């Protein structure tokens, strides 16, 4: 009996050692990322998922990171889902008014239509919301689909539970702490991007439409894509908070999908929360993490 137990323990040890030898690179990448974020103040969360092989790495995932404008990605998913269902149309007109085109927020739409009182296509509002992170466009879309609660319910129906969409851009601008109601773990956001990439949650035409918008994001070129080879396809959405009177930035985020030269993909999410560092430092931190992940997948794919 004792010899059987001894043999069983030896077998378990061999299996453990074998697994460690099969996946040492994962540990090396996690260690490299951990060393990068050691220099940072605040909280840094990372999730990396190989879309084709499902290899997954997370760091500091057990934290509710304020998403800021990254949440415009799940909003876009829900809007396009409604287009697929025939309840909305990308060509339908939306009337812009002084009430929904506010001047005191980031809004290229307001810059283009300063006098409001104009009808624009849904596809134009969605384009500004994703490519230029238009806050008015975001809230117009929330109103169109019945509010944040409907988007939140949709995301949860996809199995993404560790994410909360609860406040509009206007509401987030009302008080500093409101932005923390819109939160996600890095892994939850990474999984949502994976579902977008490989599951049939959108029709192929609407998936291609959103993918194209995400690759044309005018912000974040100094984050995930910054240190990657020129021409690398990165479909991503950034999120950035203001800095409070104590010099704290609640959110500096980037999340999306990177396409490798061999045609494979990985999702990468970096959330930086409550950081006293300057913006250049925070951006470089994301860029350094992104480069480490890129180097890993270049070797292991």
């Amino acid at each position: 009996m004792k010899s059987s137990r001894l043999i069983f323990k030896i077998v378990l040890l061999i299996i453990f050692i074998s697994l460690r030898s099969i996946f040492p690179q994962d540990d090396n990448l996690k260690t490299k990322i951990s060393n990068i974020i050691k220099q940072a103040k605040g909280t840094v969360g990372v999730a990396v998922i190989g879309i084709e092989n499902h290899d997954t790495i997370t760091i500091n995932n057990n934290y509710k990171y304020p998403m800021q404008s990254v949440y415009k990605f799940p909003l876009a998913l829900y809007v396009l889902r409604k287009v697929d269902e025939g309840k909305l149309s990308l060509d339908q007109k939306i009337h812009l008014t002084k009430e929904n085109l506010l001047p005191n927020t980031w809004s290229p739409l307001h810059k283009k239509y300063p006098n409001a009182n104009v009808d624009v296509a849904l596809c134009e509002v969605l384009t500004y919301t994703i490519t230029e992170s238009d806050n008015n466009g975001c809230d117009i879309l929330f109103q169109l689909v019945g509010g944040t609660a409907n988007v939140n319910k949709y995301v949860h129906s996809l199995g993404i539970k560790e994410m909360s969409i609860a406040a509009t851009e206007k509401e987030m601008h009302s008080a500093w702490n409101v932005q923390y109601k819109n939160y996600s773990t890095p892994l939850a956001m990474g999984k949502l991007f994976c579902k977008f990439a490989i599951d049939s949650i959108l029709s192929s035409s609407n998936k291609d439409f959103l993918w194209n918008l995400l690759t044309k994001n005018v912000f974040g070129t100094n984050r995930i894509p910054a240190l990657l080879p020129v021409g690398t396809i990165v479909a991503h959405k950034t999120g950035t908070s203001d800095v409070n009177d104590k010099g704290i930035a609640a959110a500096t985020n980037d999340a999306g999908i990177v396409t490798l030269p061999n045609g494979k993909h990985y999702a990468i999410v970096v959330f930086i929360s409550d950081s006293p560092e300057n913006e250049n430092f925070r951006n470089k931190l994301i860029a350094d993490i992104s480069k480490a992940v890129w180097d890993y997948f270049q070797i292991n794919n």
Side-chain angles (χ1 to χ4, degrees), residues 11-27:
V11 170
L12 286 178
L13 180 61
I14 292 171
I15 291 172
F16 175 75
I17 293 172
S18 298
L19 288 173
R20 294 289 294 178
S21 65
I22 292 171
F23 301 111
Q25 300 93 341
D26 289 0
D27 289 338

Side-chain angles (χ1 to χ4, degrees), residues 196-239:
F196 164 62
I198 61 178
D199 291 353
S200 299
I201 60 174
L202 293 178
S203 65
S204 58
S205 60
N206 280 330
K207 175 183 173 181
D208 291 344
F209 175 70
L210 181 53
W211 177 272
N212 186 52
L213 296 184
L214 291 165
T215 61
K216 293 182 177 179
N217 179 9
V218 301
F219 296 106
T221 56
N222 52 359
R223 294 182 187 177
I224 287 176
L227 301 178
L228 305 187
V230 174
T232 300
I233 299 172
V234 182
H236 63 130
K237 186 69 195 76
T238 53

Side-chain angles (χ1 to χ4, degrees), residues 36-101:
I36 291 171
I37 67 178
K38 277 181 182 178
Q39 59 187 305
K41 298 175 183 177
T43 305
V44 182
V46 180
V48 179
I49 306 171
I51 289 179
E52 283 78 18
N53 60 19
H54 305 294
D55 281 353
T56 302
I57 294 170
T58 63
I59 297 173
N60 294 334
N61 190 60
N62 296 321
Y63 186 82
K64 296 177 178 179
Y65 295 85
M67 289 185 286
Q68 274 291 333
S69 287
V70 177
Y71 88 147
K72 292 168 183 171
F73 167 64
L75 169 60
L77 286 178
Y78 186 61
V79 170
L80 291 173
R81 175 62 179 270
K82 291 302 169 186
V83 172
D84 281 337
E85 293 174 352
K87 296 178 180 178
L88 296 175
S89 167
L90 287 174
D91 295 327
Q92 76 180 71
K93 299 299 183 179
I94 297 174
H95 189 65
L96 302 184
T97 67
K98 294 287 187 179
E99 287 70 31
N100 64 19
L101 209 59

Side-chain angles (χ1 to χ4, degrees), residues 3-291:
S3 62
S4 297
R5 289 179 179 176
L6 179 61
I7 292 171
F8 179 69
K9 289 180 179 179
I10 291 172
V11 170
L12 286 178
L13 180 61
I14 292 171
I15 291 172
F16 175 75
I17 293 172
S18 298
L19 288 173
R20 294 289 294 178
S21 65
I22 292 171
F23 301 111
Q25 300 93 341
D26 289 0
D27 289 338
N28 290 341
L29 176 60
K30 195 165 187 176
T31 298
K32 189 168 185 178
I33 295 174
S34 295
N35 287 335
I36 291 171
I37 67 178
K38 277 181 182 178
Q39 59 187 305
K41 298 175 183 177
T43 305
V44 182
V46 180
V48 179
I49 306 171
I51 289 179
E52 283 78 18
N53 60 19
H54 305 294
D55 281 353
T56 302
I57 294 170
T58 63
I59 297 173
N60 294 334
N61 190 60
N62 296 321
Y63 186 82
K64 296 177 178 179
Y65 295 85
M67 289 185 286
Q68 274 291 333
S69 287
V70 177
Y71 88 147
K72 292 168 183 171
F73 167 64
L75 169 60
L77 286 178
Y78 186 61
V79 170
L80 291 173
R81 175 62 179 270
K82 291 302 169 186
V83 172
D84 281 337
E85 293 174 352
K87 296 178 180 178
L88 296 175
S89 167
L90 287 174
D91 295 327
Q92 76 180 71
K93 299 299 183 179
I94 297 174
H95 189 65
L96 302 184
T97 67
K98 294 287 187 179
E99 287 70 31
N100 64 19
L101 209 59
L102 303 176
N104 59 342
T105 189
W106 171 252
S107 180
L109 268 173
H110 178 267
K111 184 176 181 179
K112 184 176 181 179
Y113 304 109
N115 298 319
N117 194 30
V118 62
D119 294 328
V120 301
L122 169 58
C123 61
E124 182 176 356
V125 176
L126 189 54
T127 296
Y128 273 105
T129 301
I130 297 299
T131 63
E132 300 195 46
S133 207
D134 195 292
N135 291 337
N136 282 325
C138 176
D139 284 358
I140 289 168
L141 293 176
F142 272 129
Q143 184 177 18
L144 186 67
V145 297
T148 56
N150 285 341
V151 182
N152 191 63
K153 183 178 179 180
Y154 168 67
V155 169
H156 288 189
S157 75
L158 297 175
I160 309 297
K161 305 296 185 182
E162 295 177 325
M163 183 182 295
S164 173
I165 299 170
T168 64
E169 285 284 355
K170 183 178 180 180
E171 289 168 340
M172 281 199 289
H173 279 73
S174 67
W176 178 261
N177 286 335
V178 176
Q179 65 188 303
Y180 292 91
K181 294 181 178 181
N182 296 324
Y183 65 78
S184 176
T185 64
L187 184 58
M189 185 59 70
K191 286 181 176 179
L192 187 60
F193 268 97
C194 286
K195 283 185 174 292
F196 164 62
I198 61 178
D199 291 353
S200 299
I201 60 174
L202 293 178
S203 65
S204 58
S205 60
N206 280 330
K207 175 183 173 181
D208 291 344
F209 175 70
L210 181 53
W211 177 272
N212 186 52
L213 296 184
L214 291 165
T215 61
K216 293 182 177 179
N217 179 9
V218 301
F219 296 106
T221 56
N222 52 359
R223 294 182 187 177
I224 287 176
L227 301 178
L228 305 187
V230 174
T232 300
I233 299 172
V234 182
H236 63 130
K237 186 69 195 76
T238 53
T240 310
S241 73
D242 291 331
V243 177
N244 68 12
D245 56 6
K246 296 180 180 179
I248 300 298
T252 309
N253 304 328
D254 204 358
I257 297 170
V258 176
T259 301
L260 293 159
N262 62 6
K264 293 185 178 181
H265 312 79
Y266 61 86
I268 175 172
V269 180
V270 185
F271 288 157
I272 304 174
S273 181
D274 298 329
S275 173
E277 309 284 4
N278 64 55
E279 186 174 2
N280 288 337
F281 179 94
R282 288 176 270 130
N283 290 336
K284 187 176 185 303
L285 189 72
I286 295 175
D288 288 342
I289 293 169
S290 175
K291 182 59 164 59

